[in-house]
Amino acid sequence: MQTGIRPSVGRNVVVVGTQWGDEGKGKVVDWLTDSAEGVVRFQGGHNAGHTLVIGGRKTALQLIPSGAMRAGVACYIGNGVVVDPAHLLSEIARIEGLGVELRSRLFVSESCPLILPFHVAIDAAREARRESVGTGKIGTTGKGIGPAYEDKVARRALRVQDLKHPARFEAKLRELLEIHAGELASAPQAALDAGALCEAALRAGEQLRPLMADVGYRLYKAHAAGTNLLFEGAQGTLLDIDHGTYPFVTSSNCVAGNAAAGSGLGPGLLHYVLGITKAYTTRVGSGPFPTELPIEAEGSVGYHLSTVGQERGTVTGRPRRCGWLDAAALKRAIIINGVSGLCITKLDVLDGLAEIKICTGYKLGGAAIDILPLDADEVAACEPVYETLPGWSETTAGLTNWEQLPPNARRYLERVQALIGAPIDIVSTGPDRVHTILLRHPFRA
């Protein structure tokens, strides 16, 4: 029976972080775009920080998909992303200032909720209030992400499509300012002036209008025409609003399942999930971290990971907390995402360590468990159980072939693979896109 719908012929890959973010997703997405014609961001906002190093030149992206630096690759911002119009325009200008043509291949979903200056003011006020009453800061980036998602869930958000209708936009904006008046009582005047906010947003909207699109339908047509698509997650699984160490999480779903909801392309058209995992573990901001090591003492392992790994947040510049690889937490992430294969990044940071530890499980309340608990207080109470492996003195930096790796580096990766029950398909040995060992290609797996 003829349905009139063309059969699927493109292959689609989802890339997600399997730790607390900062795993190196941007570099891997950029590398994989050699086999893709489109890259899709499906959640988060400009609280993401994806750093690409191409030919020795470093480029940091926050809202724009990491396919931007590949000529001819379409870049889609899906409906699951919250968009700050002013930031998006400044990021476009910055990328185009590098000589990269972008606007003709950038598409922004009309359904994206907007982040406006009053969302940023609310974010700052809440963190200050948490600190003042002693409940502890969540550790947000202060970009207004959470308040914008709250407006979305409350069904009152301003969306990209509203920018096309000035009267409607202004009416909804004034209503939102009234709703949030209590939290904005001490906010700067610039965050409260409805007229100025409206004028600035609509001015940005005029510049963004050529980029507005029905992203879900575009993706479907591209897929049906044989296009390979890459879906780029931000943050990491353990920061997911539902599955992370709540409440020390981000405000969106970072897991592979949201690639469909956050883009408008059905889950049956997603074929492979690549989990990005550092060879050790890092975390930015507050929240439990069972394998955390002190990073201040020169000569310590934590100091080595922090300094050699250059562990500072791309967006905030905050130092990242560092620790040994947590296979029990990674196992949780693999289950949640249905990971097809892993990419291990920053293997070269472990070069020179005499021994390397892997957390294989925990002791919690006198019991042994082999997977990260669901309750953040229980995670905080976990005592990690370690397995120790010999390190290596040889360098792995820049290697591109599995056989080139030192024997102990191969043994370490093979042991990680055995502990987590998922294959390692890619190993990253440095920041540049060419510093990559391919064992199995996600678009050809």
Side-chain angles (χ1 to χ4, degrees):
M1 175 178 168
Q2 295 293 322
T3 63
I5 299 177
R6 184 174 174 174
S8 304
V9 288
R11 183 165 174 80
N12 303 319
V13 171
V14 182
V15 175
V16 291
T18 52
Q19 295 165 306
W20 279 288
D22 306 307
E23 301 94 348
K25 296 179 291 295
K27 177 238 168 125
V28 178
V29 169
D30 169 70
W31 182 79
L32 284 171
T33 52
D34 187 44
S35 299
E37 291 79 43
V39 180
V40 189
R41 270 287 303 276
F42 59 85
Q43 49 79 216
H46 63 304
N47 56 338
H50 294 174
T51 302
L52 318 181
V53 180
I54 304 163
R57 185 175 73 175
K58 182 182 291 188
T59 304
L61 301 174
Q62 291 175 256
L63 197 54
I64 293 171
S66 296
M69 305 309 288
R70 290 269 193 184
V73 172
C75 296
Y76 302 91
I77 297 178
N79 57 274
V81 178
V82 284
V83 172
D84 181 323
H87 175 86
L88 178 56
L89 288 171
S90 69
E91 194 169 341
I92 291 171
R94 178 166 56 82
I95 298 305
E96 290 186 332
L98 299 174
V100 176
E101 194 286 314
L102 182 62
R103 288 176 187 261
S104 68
R105 54 193 177 95
L106 179 62
F107 305 95
V108 182
S109 172
E110 293 191 9
S111 298
C112 290
L114 295 175
I115 301 174
L116 296 169
F118 68 85
H119 291 120
V120 179
I122 292 170
D123 212 353
R126 288 177 180 175
E127 283 287 78
R129 186 165 61 251
R130 290 187 190 102
E131 189 171 31
S132 67
V133 299
T135 56
K137 301 169 84 173
I138 295 295
T140 76
T141 57
K143 305 289 186 182
I145 308 293
Y149 272 119
E150 286 179 32
D151 280 344
K152 171 186 174 177
V153 174
R155 294 172 292 187
R156 62 188 181 221
L158 280 159
R159 305 207 290 181
V160 167
Q161 60 197 220
D162 291 312
L163 292 169
K164 298 191 295 184
H165 308 283
R168 184 173 86 186
F169 183 93
E170 183 172 6
K172 292 177 72 172
L173 173 62
R174 291 185 181 278
E175 181 182 350
L176 273 177
L177 288 172
E178 289 180 13
I179 290 169
H180 293 300
E183 288 193 286
L184 290 169
S186 59
Q189 186 59 34
L192 304 174
D193 188 331
L197 289 176
C198 185
E199 182 181 349
L202 292 174
R203 190 165 56 246
E206 284 301 312
Q207 296 181 64
L208 293 175
R209 187 175 291 226
L211 312 181
M212 297 180 191
D214 181 344
V215 165
Y217 191 43
R218 277 184 173 271
L219 293 175
Y220 172 75
K221 290 196 293 183
H223 169 73
T227 293
N228 288 342
L229 298 171
L230 196 55
F231 292 76
E232 178 183 19
Q235 290 84 43
T237 300
L238 303 182
L239 291 175
D240 183 271
I241 186 67
D242 287 309
H243 302 288
T245 48
Y246 190 92
F248 303 100
V249 292
T250 193
S251 301
S252 62
N253 288 112
C254 316
V255 296
N258 197 35
S263 69
L265 191 70
L269 301 181
L270 305 176
H271 305 111
Y272 177 105
V273 178
L274 180 66
I276 313 300
T277 304
K278 262 181 191 160
Y280 50 101
T281 308
T282 63
R283 178 166 196 167
V284 171
S286 305
F289 183 177
T291 66
E292 184 172 13
L293 298 168
I295 64 174
E296 293 81 14
E298 190 170 348
S300 68
V301 171
Y303 182 87
H304 174 99
L305 298 176
S306 178
T307 54
V308 177
Q310 300 180 46
E311 294 297 352
R312 287 192 171 272
T314 302
V315 175
T316 63
R318 292 179 292 184
R320 296 179 184 132
R321 301 153 66 190
C322 298
W324 294 117
L325 182 69
D326 190 334
L330 187 52
K331 188 185 300 183
R332 172 75 70 186
I334 287 167
I335 292 169
I336 293 168
N337 290 293
V339 166
S340 310
L342 285 179
C343 171
I344 301 294
T345 64
K346 288 199 165 184
L347 180 67
D348 53 302
V349 175
L350 300 183
D351 294 354
L353 294 176
E355 62 180 29
I356 298 170
K357 294 184 179 182
I358 305 174
C359 173
T360 59
Y362 318 101
K363 290 180 181 177
L364 178 61
I369 57 175
D370 65 352
I371 196 165
L372 191 77
L374 298 174
D375 187 298
D377 288 344
E378 290 188 352
V379 175
C382 281
E383 179 185 344
V385 175
Y386 288 114
E387 181 175 312
T388 303
L389 284 76
W392 55 90
S393 58
E394 308 95 319
T395 182
T396 64
L399 298 184
T400 57
N401 188 285
W402 176 263
E403 284 71 29
Q404 295 173 325
L405 290 173
N408 283 349
R410 293 200 299 269
R411 291 187 190 104
Y412 174 71
L413 294 173
E414 288 163 354
R415 184 57 183 149
V416 170
Q417 190 170 246
L419 286 169
I420 61 176
I424 294 173
D425 288 346
I426 302 171
V427 180
S428 173
T429 58
D432 200 288
R433 63 163 60 141
V434 299
H435 299 159
T436 306
I437 296 172
L438 174 65
L439 300 172
R440 186 173 68 140
H441 201 296
F443 279 107
R444 295 187 284 275

